[in-house]
Amino acid sequence: MALVFYSHSDEGGLFEKRFRAAIAEQLPDLEVRTWPEIGDASEVIYAALWLPPEGLFKALPNLTHIFALSAGVDRLLQARDLPSEVPIYRLEEGGMAAPMSQYVHYGVLHAQRQMGLYKEAQQRQQWKRDAAEPAAGDWEVGILGAGVLASAVAETLTVAGYPVRTWSRSRKQQAGVTSFAGWDELPAFCENLNTLVCLLPLTSDTDSIMNAELFNRLPKGTSLINVARGEHCVDEDLLTALDSGQISSALLDVFRQEPLPSDHPFWLHERIMMTPHIAAPTAGGIAAKQIAKGVADAAAGLQPAGFVDRKTGY
Amino acid sequence: MALVFYSHSDEGGLFEKRFRAAIAEQLPDLEVRTWPEIGDASEVIYAALWLPPEGLFKALPNLTHIFALSAGVDRLLQARDLPSEVPIYRLEEGGMAAPMSQYVHYGVLHAQRQMGLYKEAQQRQQWKRDAAEPAAGDWEVGILGAGVLASAVAETLTVAGYPVRTWSRSRKQQAGVTSFAGWDELPAFCENLNTLVCLLPLTSDTDSIMNAELFNRLPKGTSLINVARGEHCVDEDLLTALDSGQISSALLDVFRQEPLPSDHPFWLHERIMMTPHIAAPTAGGIAAKQIAKGVADAAAGLQPAGFVDRKTGY
């Protein structure tokens, strides 16, 4: 009985080290083998993976559980040799809730406190106060998504005094947060928003959801934060909306191609603030422990957390 | 019996309107007169002021209470005709706690999440992740000051997971916050800091407290947030510390001269983020009500909140 481990990027092997330690603590008898050194492939029944190379699944005929090292499984589900019957589990929280909440809170504060306008004024050496000075209670934040991370972000923002709404496939219950559900309610969700945050899973339904049509439903001057996937956003539509002022500014952590190509117009756009997919790093000890817990649950015959419904894609 | 009102800047007279409404509600019989239309000066026993012009105090011989429309009274105490025996009360909170906490939280997030480095990388079109990714729990924040606003900021940051310490003249008690007191403990206060925040009152003791000596006590790379008074900071020493990397970045809301002169080197320094004294606007309904409450207390023979000790200067 063995588990195969593969992470597309793991600087210094730090995450693998943490994961092996967590497995050693929770399942001391389970052997962890690092792809491609899989030994006797027939013994490998678990896989813990981020962006696995083609051929990995074909080489492992006896897999019973696949654990994703990430919250999003859009790329994993696209693997051509992915076995159709093996259940997949994704990282639901993985220590990402705290840094994700920090990052989005930063972006909301940046917009609410007009820090972009002050930056532009500073560049022009202009002492210029913004008359508006909106309070947190008057700054409406809408989150596309209502999963584990979106709920954590919604709670942080609610505690900070912002009115928060979420939009998801099915209706959700969260204290102090207004839930909008389904495509029919998307226009109502957009009304009076000041900041729109994307925290959706990437599926065929949500691909390109942030397009000209959605931007035009928002009040003029809404700010945008994308911490989900680059594919959620139609880049050209965002540039058009920024140039017309329909979208006032964007904080982007994710891109259709990463690293973002050096000739992409986002780099030097003065109303775009960019970070290199660092909003919520997963390479922490908490993620390692949560995945190891899932493997231990599977070994004990229990259902691990984070089961992925392949029909909905998350 | 009358009160004289004066505010050096009050766009659209909005604050005066709110203050008059608050007085009308709490003390309907008190007449509010706006300087310089003081009517019979002998009837004026209260003054509510921000940056009063020279001559105001001399013209009002019967003042019994002076109410500052601000938290800091450094300028008021310098007024040459300030009567020496009339008690002064300052605005202790004035609705400033929430915006001040937001502003400082923004600055701490900016530093902790390395947003300055990402901004520089974006300008160079470089996709560059910062390996450190420090957690909030590992980001030590030190606040110079421990008054009403500093305590509110400390609470916000503590809730957000940052270890917080304050420094003040006398020892303070606040849940989850470490208190350092007096000049002897300033070196210990500086140890291992990641972000230093100035929220001190400006007095002869605290003038120029942020100088080369203090900066050199901090760990190399500490970031700075000044939301108190420009006079707390020695500008040349800050520039030297920024250029050597001793201070990694500065978020400045206050300056020795405001508006900041257009030839000042702060404007275009790439490690300085500047805002035009907007961290905690006082022109809100809450401030008006709190000052009116102080006047009502005085009229009822009670001691209003915010009594200023002229010896300490706050």
Side-chain angles (χ1 to χ4, degrees):
Chain A
M1 207 173 90
L3 174 145
V4 73
F5 176 91
Y6 177 81
S7 175
H8 177 69
S9 84
D10 182 16
E11 213 161 319
L14 184 62
F15 186 70
E16 180 176 347
K17 215 173 291 173
R18 285 174 166 159
F19 179 69
R20 283 178 174 272
I23 288 286
E25 200 184 306
Q26 298 188 40
L27 275 178
D29 295 336
L30 182 70
E31 206 183 313
V32 176
R33 301 174 185 170
T34 302
W35 177 268
E37 279 111 47
I38 55 170
D40 179 350
S42 70
E43 296 168 356
V44 176
I45 59 172
Y46 305 128
L49 308 164
W50 188 51
L51 301 186
E54 208 176 321
L56 180 146
F57 291 115
K58 233 182 313 192
L60 301 168
N62 292 336
L63 284 182
T64 62
H65 299 74
I66 297 168
F67 297 90
L69 306 182
S70 60
V73 289
D74 42 290
R75 300 239 178 128
L76 184 62
L77 293 179
Q78 287 165 16
R80 283 197 292 173
D81 57 346
L82 185 70
S84 59
E85 300 301 324
V86 182
I88 298 167
Y89 304 88
R90 64 190 187 86
L91 195 54
E92 285 191 313
E93 196 276 328
M96 289 178 283
M100 185 63 91
S101 298
Q102 285 166 7
Y103 186 97
V104 175
H105 195 176
Y106 174 83
V108 170
L109 283 166
H110 186 89
Q112 178 229 335
R113 297 305 302 264
Q114 317 289 326
M115 299 305 283
L117 296 182
Y118 293 128
K119 187 189 91 177
E120 288 178 21
Q122 181 178 354
Q123 285 167 346
R124 291 193 308 269
Q125 292 163 265
Q126 272 186 353
W127 183 272
K128 195 180 162 196
R129 296 181 68 148
D130 175 51
E133 291 175 356
D138 297 325
W139 196 264
E140 299 276 345
V141 180
I143 303 175
L144 292 168
V148 171
L149 294 182
S151 305
V153 170
E155 194 191 336
T156 294
L157 294 175
T158 301
V159 168
Y162 298 97
V164 178
R165 63 189 85 165
T166 59
W167 178 78
S168 47
R169 228 161 44 95
S170 57
R171 182 91 50 215
K172 304 280 176 173
Q173 298 286 346
Q174 185 177 0
V177 177
T178 310
S179 166
F180 291 77
W183 296 102
D184 287 353
E185 297 185 9
L186 188 58
F189 166 85
C190 290
E191 272 172 32
N192 305 319
L193 276 191
N194 294 98
T195 295
L196 178 71
V197 181
C198 183
L199 260 165
L200 287 166
L202 179 64
T203 69
S204 54
D205 274 350
T206 65
D207 196 310
S208 299
I209 187 173
M210 290 192 290
N211 55 30
E213 191 190 335
L214 181 74
F215 295 148
N216 288 329
R217 286 195 192 285
L218 298 167
K220 192 175 171 84
T222 301
S223 65
L224 187 75
I225 300 173
N226 189 10
V227 281
R229 286 284 184 266
E231 289 86 347
H232 284 121
C233 182
V234 179
D235 292 0
E236 301 71 31
D237 290 3
L238 175 57
L239 289 166
T240 303
L242 282 166
D243 292 339
S244 74
Q246 181 62 23
I247 299 291
S248 57
S249 66
L251 172 60
L252 306 176
D253 187 51
V254 291
F255 307 89
R256 285 179 177 262
Q257 195 183 331
E258 296 180 4
L260 189 70
S262 60
D263 60 346
H264 196 287
F266 283 176
W267 281 109
L268 299 178
H269 199 291
E270 67 168 355
R271 301 251 161 100
I272 291 180
M273 197 162 33
M274 273 179 48
T275 51
H277 205 143
I278 51 81
T282 54
I286 300 169
K289 276 182 200 151
Q290 287 180 4
I291 299 161
K293 170 72 165 56
V295 180
D297 283 346
L302 304 169
Q303 169 83 310
F307 175 74
V308 173
D309 178 346
R310 296 201 192 191
K311 276 204 293 292
T312 60
Y314 62 93
Chain B
M1 206 175 89
L3 175 146
V4 72
F5 176 92
Y6 176 81
S7 176
H8 176 70
S9 84
D10 182 16
E11 214 161 320
L14 183 63
F15 185 71
E16 180 176 348
K17 216 173 289 170
R18 285 174 165 158
F19 178 70
R20 283 179 174 271
I23 287 286
E25 200 184 306
Q26 298 187 42
L27 276 178
D29 295 337
L30 181 68
E31 205 183 315
V32 176
R33 301 173 186 171
T34 302
W35 176 268
E37 278 110 49
I38 54 168
D40 180 350
S42 71
E43 295 168 357
V44 177
I45 59 171
Y46 305 128
L49 308 165
W50 190 51
L51 301 186
E54 209 176 320
L56 180 145
F57 290 115
K58 233 182 315 193
L60 300 168
N62 293 336
L63 285 183
T64 63
H65 299 72
I66 298 168
F67 297 90
L69 306 181
S70 59
V73 289
D74 41 291
R75 301 236 180 132
L76 184 62
L77 293 179
Q78 286 164 14
R80 284 196 291 174
D81 57 346
L82 185 70
S84 60
E85 299 301 323
V86 182
I88 299 169
Y89 304 88
R90 64 191 186 86
L91 194 54
E92 284 192 313
E93 197 277 327
M96 289 179 281
M100 185 63 92
S101 298
Q102 286 165 7
Y103 186 96
V104 175
H105 194 176
Y106 173 83
V108 170
L109 282 166
H110 185 88
Q112 178 228 336
R113 297 304 303 264
Q114 316 290 326
M115 300 304 283
L117 296 183
Y118 292 129
K119 187 189 93 178
E120 287 177 21
Q122 179 178 355
Q123 285 166 346
R124 292 192 307 268
Q125 292 162 266
Q126 272 186 353
W127 183 272
K128 196 180 161 195
R129 296 181 69 149
D130 175 52
E133 290 174 355
D138 297 324
W139 196 263
E140 299 276 345
V141 181
I143 304 174
L144 292 168
V148 171
L149 294 182
S151 305
V153 170
E155 194 191 337
T156 294
L157 294 175
T158 301
V159 168
Y162 298 96
V164 178
R165 64 189 85 164
T166 59
W167 179 79
S168 47
R169 226 160 44 96
S170 57
R171 183 92 51 213
K172 304 281 177 174
Q173 296 287 344
Q174 184 176 1
V177 177
T178 309
S179 166
F180 291 78
W183 295 101
D184 287 352
E185 296 185 9
L186 188 57
F189 166 85
C190 290
E191 271 173 32
N192 305 319
L193 276 191
N194 294 101
T195 296
L196 178 72
V197 181
C198 182
L199 260 163
L200 286 167
L202 179 63
T203 68
S204 54
D205 274 348
T206 66
D207 196 310
S208 300
I209 187 172
M210 290 191 290
N211 55 30
E213 191 191 335
L214 181 74
F215 295 147
N216 288 330
R217 285 194 193 285
L218 298 166
K220 190 173 172 83
T222 302
S223 66
L224 186 75
I225 301 173
N226 190 9
V227 281
R229 285 285 185 266
E231 288 86 346
H232 286 119
C233 183
V234 178
D235 293 359
E236 300 70 32
D237 290 2
L238 175 58
L239 288 166
T240 303
L242 282 166
D243 292 340
S244 74
Q246 182 61 24
I247 298 292
S248 57
S249 65
L251 172 60
L252 306 176
D253 187 51
V254 290
F255 306 90
R256 284 179 178 261
Q257 193 181 334
E258 296 179 6
L260 189 69
S262 60
D263 60 347
H264 196 287
F266 283 175
W267 282 108
L268 298 178
H269 198 290
E270 66 168 357
R271 301 254 161 97
I272 291 179
M273 196 161 36
M274 271 180 49
T275 52
H277 207 144
I278 52 79
T282 53
I286 300 169
K289 276 182 199 151
Q290 287 179 3
I291 300 161
K293 170 71 165 58
V295 181
D297 283 346
L302 304 169
Q303 169 85 306
F307 176 74
V308 173
D309 178 346
R310 296 200 192 193
K311 276 203 294 290
T312 61
Y314 63 94

